[in-house]
Amino acid sequence: MSKLACAAEAGMLPGMFKRVVVFWALLVGAGWSAGLPLSPKEVVVVYNANQPDSKKLAEVYRDARNIPQDHLIGLELSAEQDISYDEYQKTLVAPLRKTFDDRAWWKRSKNPEGLIIPVQNEIRVVVLMRGVPLRIKPSPLPEGVKVDPKDPIGGRTESAVDSELAIFGIDGLPVQGALKNQYFQSKKSIREANLPFLMLTARIDAASESTCERMIQDAVEAEKTGLWGRAYIDIANKFPQGDNWLEAIAKKNLEIGIPTVVDRFNDTLPLNYPMTDASIYYGWYDWNVSGPFLNGKFYFKKGAVAIHLHSFSAEQLRNPSKNWSAGLLERGAAVTVGNVYEPYLHLTHWFDVLHDRLLDGNSWVEACWMAMPVTSWQGVVLGDPLYRPFLHLNGDGKMLAEDKDYLLLRSAAMRWGNDPEEFNKQLGMAAERLKSGTVSEALGLDLLAAGKDTQAAVWFRNAKEHFEKAEDKLRQDLHLIAIDRKAGRKAAAVQEIREAQARYGPMPEAKALAGWLDILEPPAPPKALPK
C-alpha cells in the first residue's frame, strides 16, 4: 500500500493530507543520509566449535545478512561464561590473530610506542554467537605494576570478552584498567573513521537459542519498515549525568515526532504498567527486571530498542528473571546493551549519544560504539550489529497499517515542529478526524512536556475516549493521576486511583494503580506478635 493510499484510508483532513503528502515526496526525494553502510564482507562471526547450537546460530546469521561463508570462525572454547585472562589469550586472541594473518584480512606493524598494531584492516565488525564466553575474570596484576589506591579503575583486570576483543589486534597493551575508545562520539561511519586497530564487537546472545534467532529475524524485518511506536523513558533521579541522558532522549523524541511517555518519579515504573506499542525503552535503576516487564502479557514491538541502565545489567545472559539484558530480550526486544561488571556511570554507554546516532540512521553496532567512552572494559552490545532501526525515519520503508498514526506524527513534527501552535492545531484536528487515541495521547504528552498540564489533561481524556483497549485507557488515567501527583495534590491522586481501581477491576495492568497507591498511602506496618 502506498503512503498516499494509507493517508487517504486514515481519513486525514484534506488540507493536512495534501501538505503531508507533498512533504513526504520532498523528503523522500531528497534522500536520507545515514553514512556508508557496513558491508557483510566487513563482518566476521565467531562461534564456539564445541557447541553445535553456537555453530547453527552463526549459520542463521550468515544467511540472514549474507555473510561470506569463510567469515565464520569456529573456535574451541570453554562452555563457561567466565574465563581467565590467560584462557582468553590462548583460546580467542591467538587463533583469531592467526586466522586474520592466514586470510590476509589485515596488516600489522610496530608503532612508535612499540605496540604491534593493525594499520590496514578489511574487517570492521566481530560478531560473537551464543556459546562464546562472556566475561574475563579478575586476575593478579603483573609483577611490578603499582596502582594508586584511590583509583577505582586502574587496578581492575576483569572485563567483558567483547570489549577486550575490540582491540585484539593490538599486541602489548596492559591488562589492567580501561582504554580510551577512539570512536567515542564520532559522527562518521566506522569505515569513514579509518580506525583499523578497532573492530566493533556485538553479541547475539540471550537466554535461549530461539530468542537469539528471533532477535536476528526481527531486526531484518523491522529494518524494512523502520521502527515505529511509542517510547517509554523512566527517569530515576539517581545521578545527574544519567538523568540528563534520558532527558535529552525525551527532548529529541519530542522534536522529531516520536510519542514519548516520561516517568520522572523517583520510583521506577510500577508493576504491570500498561506499556503498549513499546518500540523504545530507556530506564534505570533496579537490580533485576521489574515493573511493566513482569506482566506476562507484555511484549515489545518487533525490532524494539530497550535498555535499562544498571551496573550489572549483563552480568549473565541465561536467566531472564535476573539482571536486565536477558530479561528485555526475552520480552521481545531486538537489541540492548549491558555491563558485565561494575563499569561506573561515566564509562558505560552514554544513552543520549547512542539514541542520537541511531536516529541519524547508523547501524546498531556503530551507534553503540559511538556511545562508549572506553574499551577493554565492561560494556557489551547485544543484537544484530547491522540493524538500522531508523533507516526509514523519512517514511520510505514498507508501510504497515498499524504504523499509520506514528508516521502521521513524524510528518507533522517535520512540517510544523518549529511552530508549536500550528503543530498542536493540526494534530488536534487530525486526532478528532481520525478518532485516534494514539494521536490524542501524543498531543497530550507534547503539551505536558511544555508545562501545559491543564491542556494536556484534556487530550488524555480525549485519548481515553478514542482508545479501544483497556490498557491504553488505563494509561491515560495514569497520566492524569501523575499530573495531580506531581502537583502535590495527593488527595485528588488517591481518589482517582481508587476510582480507576473500581473501573478496571482485576486486569493485570491495574496492579500499577496499587503500586502508586502504596507509595502515596503506604500500608500500615504489620502488628508486632505478642511476646
Side-chain angles (χ1 to χ4, degrees):
M1 183 181 292
S2 69
K3 294 175 189 63
L4 198 104
C6 283
E9 184 186 43
M12 295 168 68
L13 290 171
M16 185 176 182
F17 167 74
K18 188 174 182 179
R19 284 190 288 268
V20 169
V21 170
V22 170
F23 170 72
W24 279 123
L26 290 172
L27 187 56
V28 172
W32 180 247
S33 176
L36 297 173
L38 286 161
S39 164
K41 293 181 180 180
E42 297 174 299
V43 178
V44 297
V45 180
V46 179
Y47 64 90
N48 190 338
N50 293 324
Q51 296 185 16
D53 287 348
S54 186
K55 180 181 180 182
K56 178 186 173 186
L57 189 62
E59 292 169 344
V60 169
Y61 187 64
R62 174 201 63 196
D63 295 344
R65 289 298 188 181
N66 297 313
I67 309 295
Q69 174 60 37
D70 66 344
H71 285 219
L72 270 61
I73 305 172
L75 301 179
E76 302 285 335
L77 301 171
S78 170
E80 300 298 322
Q81 78 160 7
D82 296 352
I83 57 175
S84 69
Y85 186 78
D86 287 344
E87 188 174 5
Y88 161 75
Q89 287 286 336
K90 179 180 178 181
T91 63
L92 274 160
V93 173
L96 279 177
R97 285 178 179 171
K98 185 177 187 305
T99 300
F100 273 61
D101 288 338
D102 292 346
R103 299 182 186 179
W105 284 338
W106 64 10
K107 282 187 179 180
R108 296 198 300 160
S109 63
K110 187 173 289 187
N111 73 358
E113 289 75 32
L115 300 175
I116 298 174
I117 185 169
V119 292
Q120 294 179 21
N121 200 340
E122 296 178 13
I123 304 302
R124 306 184 192 277
V125 178
V126 178
V127 193
L128 308 178
M129 291 293 118
R130 186 177 192 268
V132 174
L134 175 67
R135 306 196 307 170
I136 298 174
K137 297 181 287 189
S139 59
L141 290 173
E143 188 175 348
V145 172
K146 294 183 179 179
V147 177
D148 183 349
K150 296 180 181 179
D151 181 1
I153 295 166
R156 298 267 299 276
T157 57
E158 70 273 27
S159 62
V161 166
D162 311 44
S163 190
E164 292 288 351
L165 273 179
I167 49 170
F168 82 86
I170 306 175
D171 201 354
L173 290 171
V175 176
Q176 69 278 7
L179 297 169
K180 182 179 179 181
N181 171 21
Q182 299 293 332
Y183 196 49
F184 177 52
Q185 293 187 316
S186 174
K187 290 191 174 181
K188 296 180 179 180
S189 71
I190 188 61
R191 186 187 301 165
E192 294 168 311
N194 190 27
L195 301 170
F197 51 85
L198 177 71
M199 284 170 276
L200 309 184
T201 57
R203 172 179 291 264
I204 298 177
D205 203 342
S208 68
E209 182 188 354
S210 61
T211 296
C212 293
E213 291 189 20
R214 191 266 308 156
M215 290 160 59
I216 295 169
Q217 294 161 0
D218 283 1
V220 172
E221 291 179 19
E223 197 173 86
K224 296 174 184 176
T225 62
L227 182 61
W228 302 99
R230 200 173 288 114
Y232 295 85
I233 298 178
D234 192 357
I235 300 175
N237 301 310
K238 293 291 183 184
F239 300 100
Q241 184 177 28
D243 291 333
N244 290 341
W245 294 342
L246 299 182
E247 291 287 3
I249 294 170
K251 183 175 183 292
K252 182 74 173 182
N253 284 354
L254 181 69
E255 292 170 355
I256 67 172
I258 297 176
T260 303
V261 176
V262 184
D263 183 288
R264 292 186 174 86
F265 298 119
N266 292 350
D267 42 284
T268 51
L269 285 167
L271 178 65
N272 290 7
Y273 184 92
M275 192 184 281
T276 62
D277 268 9
S279 61
I280 300 169
Y281 164 77
Y282 292 95
W284 72 325
Y285 190 89
D286 278 345
W287 189 282
N288 297 314
V289 66
S290 64
F293 312 107
L294 297 183
N295 184 354
K297 293 167 53 181
F298 175 80
Y299 208 72
F300 281 105
K301 283 201 73 177
K302 182 179 293 184
V305 175
I307 308 174
H308 190 92
L309 180 58
H310 187 266
S311 296
F312 297 91
S313 49
E315 182 181 32
Q316 58 79 41
L317 297 174
R318 294 295 172 264
N319 185 346
S321 298
K322 291 181 62 179
N323 310 112
W324 276 90
S325 297
L328 292 174
L329 295 171
E330 202 65 19
R331 287 155 180 81
V335 292
T336 190
V337 299
N339 305 291
V340 300
Y341 294 104
E342 171 60 62
Y344 296 98
L345 181 61
H346 66 292
L347 298 182
T348 188
H349 290 91
W350 291 26
F351 285 7
D352 57 339
V353 177
L354 193 163
H355 190 66
D356 179 75
R357 300 306 190 269
L358 284 179
L359 293 175
D360 282 344
N362 290 290
S363 69
W364 173 241
V365 74
E366 287 171 301
C368 289
W369 277 96
M370 289 170 176
M372 171 54 73
V374 291
T375 186
S376 186
W377 198 233
Q378 316 307 337
V380 293
V381 176
L382 292 156
D384 176 4
L386 301 184
Y387 177 38
R388 293 197 284 172
F390 297 107
L391 177 62
H392 298 296
L393 196 57
N394 64 346
D396 65 348
K398 178 183 177 182
M399 177 72 73
L400 299 178
E402 66 195 57
D403 295 333
K404 286 185 297 185
D405 286 355
Y406 297 109
L407 284 160
L408 184 153
L409 292 169
R410 169 66 176 146
S411 62
M414 294 293 288
R415 176 65 177 84
W416 299 292
N418 293 325
D419 186 348
E421 185 175 338
E422 185 66 18
F423 174 80
N424 292 342
K425 174 185 173 183
Q426 292 289 341
L427 274 195
M429 289 191 296
E432 288 304 308
R433 172 79 178 196
L434 300 172
K435 306 297 182 187
S436 171
T438 296
V439 177
S440 296
E441 182 181 15
L443 182 50
L445 293 169
D446 187 88
L447 291 164
L448 194 65
K452 300 177 181 179
D453 293 6
T454 302
Q455 291 173 258
V458 172
W459 284 103
F460 292 142
R461 294 188 183 97
N462 187 284
K464 186 178 171 182
E465 292 298 317
H466 292 326
F467 273 124
E468 295 181 2
K469 294 181 180 179
E471 299 94 324
D472 290 315
K473 292 177 181 291
L474 170 58
R475 189 172 58 257
Q476 309 317 304
D477 282 315
L478 288 166
H479 293 330
L480 295 168
I481 294 164
I483 290 173
D484 281 330
R485 186 180 169 191
K486 180 183 71 172
R489 296 187 289 266
K490 176 181 172 181
V494 168
Q495 181 178 345
E496 288 175 277
I497 290 174
R498 295 194 185 284
E499 290 173 353
Q501 284 180 317
R503 192 159 49 246
Y504 295 103
M507 65 181 285
E509 291 76 13
K511 290 183 179 180
L513 294 164
W516 275 10
L517 185 60
D518 285 346
I519 291 168
L520 293 173
E521 286 193 341
K527 293 182 179 180
L529 296 173
K531 295 182 180 179

